């Protein structure tokens, strides 16, 4: 009997070892498949970026399409969402480019014309603009219309009006900031933050993502998305405040677009920078708590995949930016 028990025990060990080997092989195969998918995505993004010609024409702007694609990979991790990741990287890239145009390059007159052309969604309104701004505007229009066509063909809903609205809001917010700082004005911190939540560009990305995912698209949810719902606004607030804590070390940006921290310390003359940073950290922590409640509340107008993707955007923010001091991240948790 004892010998039989020993033999059974050894046989079970052999089976478990074989199972571990099989699992390891499957994991390796899965890894290779995912890596292959990501490599194909990188090739697609690289070719798209090269064909746009923005890096060649806009020497002053950032040229980091692979870094921008990291947002998409991290936010939409499911290997089956390859097409969505590629298309999401495109508006992410354009947010960065247009931000650089407003922050580093355009005169106030040119930026006003650029914004007017976006508001009218009319390329002919941009005839008087410099070539660098014309090519950027054309890239914005062509990319938005191409993505809209793809979404319509796949999901039966044309999101062009919603996508256009998101870009109009962004450029109008950029223009507000450009006017403030061209005139040497510093708004109240609350006014700056209200506008800064829009100028973060997060809503542009999340509106695109909502339609690219194609789940739960109807008039009610589209109207809700267009109205800048809390799940989008809170995610945008987290990015804006993180970004405003300081200049990301690897951005090498010399623009003058201000920050919440600067507006807050000017508004509170007796406030030390250290205490002001603590205040911003608390705002980030509070926004995280509200975002978690928003994502956990039921019923939700959004699909679970969209909700999780919004959380992933917020989780990625501290990893994509590097600062001397980091706010408390005790609220950053997985669902």
């Amino acid at each position: 009997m004892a010998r039989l028990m020993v033999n059974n025990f050894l046989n079970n060990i052999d089976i478990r070892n074989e199972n571990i080997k099989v699992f390891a092989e499957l994991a390796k195969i899965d890894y290779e498949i995912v890596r292959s998918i990501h490599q194909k995505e990188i090739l697609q993004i690289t070719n798209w970026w090269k064909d746009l010609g923005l890096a060649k024409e806009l020497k002053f702007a950032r040229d980091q399409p692979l870094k921008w694609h990291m947002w998409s990979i991290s936010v939409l991790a499911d290997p089956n969402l390859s097409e969505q990741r590629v298309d999401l990287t495109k508006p992410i890239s354009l947010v960065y480019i247009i931000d650089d145009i407003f922050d580093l390059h355009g005169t106030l007159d040119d930026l006003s014309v650029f914004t007017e052309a976006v508001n009218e969604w009319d390329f002919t309104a941009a005839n008087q603009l410099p070539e660098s701004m014309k090519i950027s505007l054309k890239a914005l229009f062509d990319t938005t219309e191409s993505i809209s066509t793809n979404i319509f063909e796949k999901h039966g809903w044309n999101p062009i009006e919603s996508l256009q609205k998101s870009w109009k809001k962004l450029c109008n917010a950029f223009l507000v900031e450009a006017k403030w700082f061209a005139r040497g004005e510093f708004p109240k911190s609350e006014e700056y933050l209200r506008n800064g939540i829009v100028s973060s560009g997060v809503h542009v990305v999340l509106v695109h993502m909502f339609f690219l995912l194609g789940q739960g698209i109807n008039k009610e949810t589209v109207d809700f998305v267009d109205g800048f719902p809390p799940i989008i606004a809170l995610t945008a607030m987290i990015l804006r405040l993180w970004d405003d804590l300081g200049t990301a070390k690897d951005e090498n940006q010399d623009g003058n677009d201000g920050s919440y921290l600067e507006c807050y310390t000017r508004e509170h003359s007796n406030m030390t920078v250290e205490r002001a940073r603590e205040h911003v950290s608390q705002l980030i922590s509070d926004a995280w708590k509200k975002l978690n409640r928003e994502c956990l509340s039921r019923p939700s107008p959004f699909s679970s995949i969209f909700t999780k993707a919004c959380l992933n955007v917020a989780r990625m923010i501290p990893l994509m930016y590097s600062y001397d001091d980091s706010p408390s991240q005790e609220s950053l948790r997985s669902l």
Side-chain angles (χ1 to χ4, degrees):
M1 178 64 70
R3 181 178 297 174
L4 180 61
M5 291 176 64
V6 169
N7 288 336
N8 286 339
F9 176 74
L10 293 174
N11 287 336
N12 285 335
I13 290 177
D14 290 340
I15 292 172
R16 283 198 296 270
N17 286 339
E18 286 301 315
N19 287 339
I20 291 171
K21 289 179 182 178
V22 170
F23 179 81
E25 286 298 318
L26 289 174
K28 183 178 179 181
I29 292 171
D30 286 343
Y31 169 77
E32 293 297 334
I33 291 173
V34 171
R35 187 174 71 167
S36 175
I37 290 171
H38 288 165
Q39 287 174 337
K40 290 177 182 177
E41 292 171 11
I42 288 170
L43 181 60
Q44 288 177 268
I45 289 297
T46 301
N47 289 338
W48 168 78
W49 183 247
K50 183 178 179 181
D51 291 342
L52 277 187
L54 294 182
K56 181 179 179 180
E57 187 67 34
L58 280 65
K59 299 297 185 183
F60 59 88
R62 281 166 283 192
D63 180 14
Q64 303 168 325
L66 300 187
K67 177 182 175 180
W68 300 332
H69 188 54
M70 284 300 300
W71 281 103
S72 299
I73 291 174
S74 303
V75 170
L76 300 175
D78 187 335
N80 295 315
L81 297 175
S82 179
E83 183 180 345
Q84 290 86 342
R85 281 192 294 273
V86 170
D87 275 347
L88 187 63
T89 300
K90 296 173 182 179
I92 292 173
S93 304
L94 292 174
V95 167
Y96 278 102
I97 292 301
I98 296 173
D99 180 35
D100 286 347
I101 288 174
F102 275 81
D103 186 20
L104 301 170
H105 184 66
T107 66
L108 194 55
D109 286 342
D110 285 344
L111 295 176
S112 297
V113 173
F114 186 94
T115 303
E116 181 181 356
V118 173
N119 283 329
E120 295 178 3
W121 210 256
D122 182 7
F123 188 74
T124 60
N127 287 335
Q128 58 185 295
L129 288 176
E131 194 61 32
S132 59
M133 296 179 78
K134 283 183 184 177
I135 192 174
S136 301
L137 194 65
K138 186 176 188 305
L140 171 61
F141 288 1
D142 290 349
T143 301
T144 303
E145 288 162 14
S146 174
I147 291 174
S148 296
T149 300
N150 291 342
I151 291 170
F152 177 71
E153 291 176 352
K154 191 169 185 178
H155 303 299
W157 185 286
N158 190 342
I160 186 66
E161 289 188 11
S162 294
L163 301 190
Q164 288 173 350
K165 285 178 184 176
S166 71
W167 286 112
K168 292 173 185 179
K169 288 177 183 176
L170 179 65
C171 289
N172 284 319
F174 279 159
L175 186 60
V176 168
E177 291 179 347
K179 288 179 178 178
W180 280 340
F181 301 111
R183 297 166 183 166
E185 298 176 5
F186 286 87
K188 296 292 186 182
S189 56
E190 288 187 9
E191 183 183 4
Y192 170 84
L193 185 56
R194 280 196 301 270
N195 190 76
I197 286 172
V198 182
S199 69
S200 71
V202 168
H203 76 290
V204 171
V205 176
L206 295 185
V207 168
H208 279 77
M209 185 171 68
F210 170 76
F211 287 105
L212 286 168
L213 291 172
Q215 296 188 11
I217 302 178
N218 55 57
K219 187 180 185 306
E220 182 182 358
T221 55
V222 169
D223 289 344
F224 197 52
V225 166
D226 288 345
F228 222 110
I231 194 171
I232 292 179
L234 290 166
T235 305
M237 178 183 284
I238 292 169
L239 185 142
R240 168 52 64 209
L241 291 172
W242 255 102
D243 192 27
D244 284 358
L245 276 175
T247 302
K249 293 177 181 177
D250 63 340
E251 291 293 348
N252 295 321
Q253 295 295 291
D254 299 319
N256 223 357
D257 56 355
S259 72
Y260 177 86
L261 195 65
E262 186 173 8
C263 292
Y264 187 78
T265 53
R266 284 177 175 268
E267 188 178 346
H268 301 82
S269 57
N270 295 327
M271 178 76 63
T272 65
V273 174
E274 183 180 354
R275 285 189 60 197
R277 292 177 73 85
E278 289 174 359
H279 168 71
V280 174
S281 297
Q282 186 59 52
L283 290 179
I284 293 173
S285 178
D286 292 344
W288 255 110
K289 291 171 184 176
K290 292 176 183 177
L291 179 61
N292 282 334
R293 284 198 296 269
E294 194 68 30
C295 292
L296 291 169
S297 64
R298 296 292 183 270
S300 171
F302 299 115
S303 65
S304 59
I305 189 171
F306 177 79
T307 299
K308 187 172 183 180
C310 290
L311 281 173
N312 285 342
V313 171
R315 293 185 186 114
M316 275 296 292
I317 292 165
L319 303 179
M320 295 295 283
Y321 296 93
S322 178
Y323 297 98
D324 294 331
D325 300 305
S326 297
S328 169
Q329 297 175 50
E330 61 183 8
S331 297
L332 276 69
R333 59 176 181 265
S334 301
L335 289 182

